[in-house]
Amino acid sequence: MPAEIHQFLCLSDNFGALVHDPATGATAAIDAPQAMPILAALKEKGWALTDILVTHHHADHVQGVAGLKSAFPKVRVVGPAKEASRIPEIAEQVAEGDVVRVGALAAAVIETPGHTAGHVVYWFKSEHALFAGDTLFAMGCGRVFETPMAVMWDSLSKLAALPGETQVYCGHEYTLSNARFAISVDPDNAAMAARLREVAGLRAAGRFTLPTTIARELETNPFLRADTPGVRRALGLETAAPSAVFAELRERKNRG
Ligand code: ZN
Ligand code: FE
């Protein structure tokens, strides 16, 4: 039976996401930005929380753990081994290539260091769903806080190689500001311009712009396109290594 995935806002622009396995009743929260809206979403759906899959240690991804744990004392907290000391209530530490089960569903753990040094993402391959945390955003990527830029480029390249139809759920609703930046660094990309209009319309109507897909991101995410002629030309970096083009993109976005 296919998973049911429910996405909703927490805090100001964080996404909460629930992955429910109808075969067993198991339900995982992806990260725990805020307990109240996650508990409300569980109640609305009639689901009981069994697991919390944490992508990284930042407060806006773990601060809801305590509240969820008091409502569901048996909940299992899964998170990256490399950040275990900074993840509250962690019971299962995971690393590259591990498989996390949520009922009968299975997620492969992919390490994507960059935003934080131990960041992981969860890929439910049979569900064609990727929970990318703060590594990959729609038309953007996370800020690189804890590794050299080239490490983040390698992490994004791993995600870019996943099947194009993969649905990508991200940690934040940042798409509109990402789209405005994207246009400035890939000005001749018609798909990007069209997506900016679409995203502006969705946001004006109070709707989410996610999930996205890997295929769409390959077409319209400048951070996955650091090796394309259009982006290189716009930055005046025709012969630089892709990781250097990526670094320049990330620095420009930080300043913007
Ligand atoms: Zn973060
Ligand atoms: Fe975040």
Side-chain angles (χ1 to χ4, degrees):
M1 261 189 274
E4 288 177 47
I5 298 174
H6 178 49
Q7 176 186 242
F8 47 94
L9 275 189
C10 293
L11 305 170
S12 60
D13 56 36
N14 279 77
F15 278 112
L18 296 173
V19 181
H20 177 71
D21 175 25
T24 62
T27 304
I30 310 299
D31 287 327
Q34 193 180 15
M36 282 227 320
I38 297 173
L39 293 171
L42 287 161
K43 193 168 177 196
E44 175 197 327
K45 290 286 182 183
W47 297 343
L49 190 68
T50 52
D51 306 279
I52 303 171
L53 310 187
V54 174
T55 61
H56 68 293
H57 67 79
H58 284 161
D60 65 310
H61 296 256
V62 300
Q63 65 199 6
V65 166
L68 294 175
K69 191 89 183 173
S70 54
F72 294 95
K74 288 201 283 197
V75 79
R76 173 186 63 150
V77 179
V78 177
K82 289 176 181 163
E83 300 182 356
S85 67
R86 303 180 72 176
I87 295 174
E89 309 277 2
I90 189 166
E92 188 171 327
Q93 302 184 16
V94 294
E96 179 78 22
D98 285 347
V99 173
V100 177
R101 295 198 185 275
V102 177
L105 306 171
V109 175
I110 303 173
E111 292 185 344
T112 58
H115 179 69
T116 65
H119 195 296
V120 299
V121 303
Y122 297 94
W123 179 34
F124 290 79
K125 184 179 177 190
S126 64
E127 309 303 312
H128 311 288
L130 173 74
F131 293 90
D134 288 358
T135 296
L136 177 63
F137 295 129
M139 307 186 83
C141 72
R143 282 180 186 252
V144 182
F145 290 121
E146 296 185 5
T147 74
M149 289 287 191
V151 173
M152 180 67 154
W153 168 250
D154 288 344
S155 293
L156 289 170
S157 300
K158 279 159 95 172
L159 301 186
L162 295 178
E165 71 271 21
T166 306
Q167 301 275 321
V168 183
Y169 294 84
C170 309
H172 294 266
E173 175 62 70
Y174 286 160
T175 317
L176 187 52
S177 95
N178 287 342
R180 291 184 177 129
F181 173 76
I183 295 286
S184 74
V185 291
D186 202 351
D188 301 328
N189 186 329
M192 215 175 248
R195 194 172 180 193
L196 170 60
R197 287 192 295 276
E198 181 195 319
V199 163
L202 285 168
R203 294 309 291 148
R207 294 172 57 196
F208 302 149
T209 63
L210 293 163
T212 178
T213 65
I214 293 292
R216 280 203 101 181
E217 294 314 305
L218 289 173
E219 266 191 344
T220 58
N221 188 324
F223 295 96
L224 299 187
R225 298 173 58 77
D227 54 353
T228 63
V231 172
R232 286 172 171 285
R233 218 180 305 117
L235 269 55
L237 292 173
E238 279 87 347
T239 58
S243 63
V245 181
F246 168 77
E248 174 62 19
L249 281 171
R250 189 58 263 181
E251 272 151 18
R252 285 192 189 204
K253 179 73 164 68
N254 291 351
R255 290 194 297 267

